[in-house]
Amino acid sequence: MDQQGEYRIPATQAAVWQALNDPAVLARCIPGCQSMEKTDDTHFSAKVKAKVGPVSATFDVLLELADVDPPTGYRIDGQVKGGPAGFGKGGAKVRIEAVSEGQTLLTYQVEASIGGKLAQVGSRLIDAATRKIADEFFTAFRAEVGQSEADSVADVSSQDDSEPEKTAVAAEAAPANNDQWKVWAVVFGLFVVAMVLAI
Amino acid sequence: MSTSVASSESASTSSSGLKPSGLNPSGIGASVLRREDARFITGNGRYTDDIRVEGQVYAVFVRSPYAHAKVTRVDIGDALATPRVIAVLTGADMQADGIGGLPCGWMVKQKDGTDMRSPNHPPLVVDKVNYAGEPVAIVIAETVEAARQGADAVAVDYDELQAIIDLGTATDSSEIHPGISNNLAYEWELGDRAATDAALASAAHVTRLDLTNNRLIPNAIEPRAALGVFDATTGEHTLYTTSQNPHLERLVLSAFVNIAPEHKLRVIAPDVGGGFGSKIFIYSEETAVIWAARRVRRPVKWTADRSESFLADAHGRDHLTHAELGIDASGNFVALKVHTVANLGAYLSTFGSSVPTYLYGTLLAGQYRTPNIHVEVQGVFTNTAPVDAYRGAGRPEATYVVERIVENAARELQQDPAELRRRNMIQPDQFPYQTPVALVYDVGDYEKSLDKALGLIDYDGFSARRKISEAKGHHRGIGLACYIEACGLAPSKLAIALGAGVGLYESGEVRMNPTGSVTVFTGSHSHGQGHETTFAQVVSDKLGVPFDAVEVVHGDTGRVEFGLGTYGSRSLAVGGSALIRASEKIINKGRKIAAHLMEGAEEAVDFSGGRFSLRDSNRSLSIQEVAFAAYVPGNYPDDLEPGLSEKAFYDPQNFTYPAGTHIAEVEIDGETGVVSVVNFVAVDDFGRIINPLIVHGQVHGGVAQGIGQALLEIGLYDSNGQLLTGSMMDYCLPRADDLPDFVVGTTVTHCTHNPLGVKGCGEAGAIGSPAAVMNAVTDALGVDEVSMPATPEKVWRILQGRSPRRMA
């Protein structure tokens, strides 16, 4: 399956690029995330419990950053293994570009495939499940960063879906440096979500 | 859904030696209600899963999520530690026990004279997975839930390989099975290539057509199930399973798979809830269950869930075909050339090799006198579930090719499709008719069925109906299919000469009990066909005993001597004939006994209506009195054995050739692309009809499946070999509101070579209907071809791109 989306982030391109995530925060924001570990500069592993339609399992997630091109983009390759529930694998290409003063546009394209029970009975549910979990992620994230109101909107669209649905999510840019990791957390969290479920 | 049943004709062109029975209200020709239905509809059927044996445990299979992968490690430690799990067995365990691979039962010779190439098919994966869903291990536990948890805990490491999925490019892809180059099981041909090419080259007109015959996934209402029981006292293995042919299952498991010798292996197929072919085959799971029962010394039960059925039941159809039909200036077919790529899936299933060859290429003459035919078939491996017989098995595919290209030819020549067919039909006085593709048709009257069908659908009124549809913004089309099938499988000598591993005769035993009731044993198997009723009618009619006094026993190798089972619309033509032969032996012996009792000459004893009577006397005895005398032989011929029980094996001399005309009329919603079958007429010649009610039911079911293929169903894998249509959400079976009221009619020519004059009716509905529906759809849309299934999306896209309707 293919998915793409873009987020407008009220922070500078450099800030976005420089932002590094905190695995512990991500673990708290990603629905069903049981653990999140950064194994080295470019590798992450996570355990995420998720449910797609009738398929429910704990997925082992391995992510690797590649083609790192500061500050404009990189690629994430990932594998998700859910044992009897199936597996996923794929890659996501990320572009980060400044659109105006203090505004950064992040776009991503995920190409992924799923297998096993997930594919057999869940493939038609993936889009809806992804959106649902993305909603949950941002709700949790808002609580985590202490923001109560959303004031930027992300569009998540899927090529599989002829009626792109707007998902109201917040990527609130809190002022100054403390914000940077949060933005990155949003980005990264989305990928984990994407790799677990959009895959 | 109501039923319209057109009156049947009993015009007979041959004598079968049986008189239509007017006296017996439950005899041949009577629409007796199916006696088995009472237990089915009251919940008293006994299916495999209903059978419980003391101490039984439950099996769940670990299945590969990958379509093509090396298995590098199977770790069963956590699974064994799961509470209530008692065993986890793998392919390596099976190999260590000497359990062999599942064989293909039909060796097809390639066109170069060499044998086809058949890979080893271990019941449980040993080192390499070849389709998604292939079983890797069997987990056995005290409960199903524990077995599931245990299965989830089996850790398998896979090293994924490139999956070969696309049928069109599979022969140019890397090898799935080492040593089988180009993924070709065989290249097979039939007919005269040079003569066909020459006739095409000189034809006044050539119609060309590329067709896809969509992959179908069988969905019997009862999923496959097995219960394996090992008796440590006697060493006997008993396998209860959902089989269409328990004796064949026993034979294969014994002779090829090495489960146990035949005398220590009993296979029981109790009530079976539908098969459509998918329960003919010898599968991994049933094999593993009976083997595991011996290993763990406990009865082991497995019942497939629907997901497993989608993944691991043998699928059907899946052809890519190019066809060319040459026609002379007068409208006569002069040549048909067909090239087909047939998907066999990952392994050769039990009869997988024969379906796209001997059951397909031989039917390409259809009902026509086409003098030159050549067909070439490539049987191709892919990383998908094995493909094998599914209702019709090769014959729907052949009919689809012939009837779609004939229809297109008529349009190109601007001729009435019915009249072009009529011009080319084999005439009644031309039988027996040798086709250029091996078969000899014994009898038929094809125009009679055509005319009756045209009348029933009001063919002449179609243009008026089309105008009404067009006024509503809809598109109406009509399509014919004049099909023929080869049923009553099969003359053993011929089948074995062509590569079959078994004979295809059938056995029957008729046992008169001392008090006059009759127990009938048949090697045929009923899983929805109503044999318990029909076969009782046949024997009741032949012996003149009450219908209710005849019991039909089937599906148990411990009770029935031997059998080849039910498929290919063979049960009545072959199994029923065996019962006639056994009944004749009963009558012959009874005549001797009666002659002795009546103190007359055997030659002077007539048998009719259940009574032996001595000619030119008032003496007569009922068959029940004779049976009693046979078991209480106080006054009895010295040279005769007591008892009145007879067996017969019947080996048919030829196939039977049911044929007929199906006509579909569709209306397509101009805005949504939804195709509605608004009228459907099926006129079939099944030979003598034993039970019209059951025959019509078979036609209804078959037509429903054929409409499903044409409009709704397709089994789809993604490019990695993941089954995308793996549930009822994504695999669209026809429902009642997808179907019109069927109009079913019959014509009759009696089969010339079996004692009942019957031909078989189980598959015809699924054979004729896809071509009829797709001819109607393409007619409505004014296009040459729409691939099946004609879903609303596909049709809507065509409507968006279409030019204004061509003027008819």
Side-chain angles (χ1 to χ4, degrees), chain B residues 318-612:
Chain B
D318 209 346
H319 287 191
L320 296 175
T321 293
H322 175 77
E324 299 185 5
L325 176 67
I327 304 167
D328 72 14
S330 310
N332 299 310
F333 304 156
V334 295
L336 176 65
K337 185 169 181 169
V338 175
H339 182 272
T340 293
V341 182
N343 199 340
L344 301 171
Y347 299 101
L348 288 175
S349 177
T350 314
F351 291 113
S353 58
S354 62
V355 173
T357 51
Y358 293 111
L359 296 177
Y360 168 71
T362 52
L363 273 301
L364 288 169
Q367 299 185 353
Y368 310 115
R369 295 185 307 262
T370 316
N372 302 290
I373 299 176
H374 180 261
V375 53
E376 180 165 6
V377 179
Q378 293 181 309
V380 175
F381 292 111
T382 57
N383 291 116
T384 62
V387 179
D388 207 325
Y390 176 63
R391 200 169 193 171
R395 292 152 290 170
E397 296 92 314
T399 297
Y400 193 64
V401 172
V402 173
E403 290 303 296
R404 283 286 296 110
I405 200 166
V406 165
E407 188 86 13
N408 278 22
R411 291 174 193 166
E412 289 173 9
L413 296 170
Q414 296 186 307
Q415 291 192 16
D416 183 321
E419 295 314 305
L420 183 65
R421 286 176 166 89
R422 186 190 304 280
R423 161 180 283 279
N424 284 281
M425 279 176 174
I426 299 162
Q427 295 302 305
D429 61 4
Q430 293 181 293
F431 295 101
Y433 184 85
Q434 171 71 58
T435 73
V437 277
L439 297 178
V440 180
Y441 299 165
D442 65 334
V443 68
D445 189 344
Y446 306 140
E447 275 193 81
K448 197 172 204 175
S449 299
L450 173 64
D451 285 333
K452 188 163 181 175
L454 292 172
L456 285 172
I457 204 152
D458 183 19
Y459 192 67
D460 295 338
F462 172 73
S463 56
R465 297 195 293 276
R466 170 175 270 175
K467 284 196 180 73
I468 293 168
S469 293
E470 286 177 344
K472 293 186 288 187
H474 298 333
H475 310 277
R476 202 176 185 99
I478 194 165
L480 283 75
C482 299
Y483 74 92
I484 190 162
E485 49 171 332
C487 295
L489 274 56
S492 293
K493 271 184 194 163
L494 175 63
I496 292 167
L498 295 179
V502 290
L504 290 168
Y505 50 83
E506 192 50 275
S507 83
E509 180 179 351
V510 176
R511 190 183 293 171
M512 289 289 308
N513 298 312
T515 53
S517 67
V518 183
T519 309
V520 171
F521 300 83
T522 175
S524 297
H525 184 271
S526 182
H527 35 278
Q529 294 86 348
H531 294 168
E532 290 171 36
T533 303
T534 318
F535 285 15
Q537 285 180 261
V538 167
V539 172
S540 160
D541 201 276
K542 184 76 183 170
L543 296 182
V545 296
F547 172 74
D548 290 337
V550 182
E551 175 81 3
V552 177
V553 175
H554 65 93
D556 183 349
T557 64
R559 297 187 72 190
V560 179
E561 178 170 337
F562 195 68
L564 273 310
T566 287
Y567 41 85
S569 305
R570 71 188 298 271
S571 295
L572 189 61
V574 189
S577 293
L579 294 178
I580 290 291
R581 290 283 184 257
S583 298
E584 285 167 352
K585 291 184 186 177
I586 292 274
I587 293 166
N588 288 340
K589 185 172 179 184
R591 182 179 282 116
K592 288 187 172 68
I593 300 166
H596 174 86
L597 292 171
M598 295 187 286
E599 297 173 342
E602 184 186 332
E603 298 73 33
V605 175
D606 297 321
F607 179 75
S608 172
R611 291 198 80 79
F612 294 95

Side-chain angles (χ1 to χ4, degrees), chain A residues 84 87 89 114-116 120 124, chain B residues 66 152 160 307 722 726 729-730:
Chain A
F87 64 89
K89 60 182 173 160
I114 53 174
Q120 191 191 354
R124 66 156 59 212
Chain B
Y66 295 94
D152 286 355
E160 193 180 4
S307 282
Q722 296 297 328
M729 285 196 303
D730 296 291

Side-chain angles (χ1 to χ4, degrees), chain B residues 727-751:
Chain B
S727 76
M728 294 288 186
M729 285 196 303
D730 296 291
Y731 189 86
C732 187
L733 288 173
R735 300 176 187 215
D737 63 353
D738 294 312
L739 307 169
D741 291 351
F742 302 132
V743 177
V744 177
T746 51
T747 59
V748 178
T749 61
H750 291 143
C751 172

Side-chain angles (χ1 to χ4, degrees), chain B residues 107-117 184-194 197 337-341 353 357-358 374-379 498:
Chain B
M107 174 58 72
V108 169
K109 286 269 185 205
Q110 301 203 67
K111 63 181 183 180
D112 65 5
T114 60
D115 288 347
M116 70 177 187
R117 300 180 291 181
L184 272 172
Y186 51 72
E187 288 186 288
W188 176 88
E189 68 176 345
L190 183 65
D192 188 332
R193 180 195 294 266
D197 284 342
K337 185 169 181 169
V338 175
H339 182 272
T340 293
V341 182
S353 58
T357 51
Y358 293 111
H374 180 261
V375 53
E376 180 165 6
V377 179
Q378 293 181 309
L498 295 179

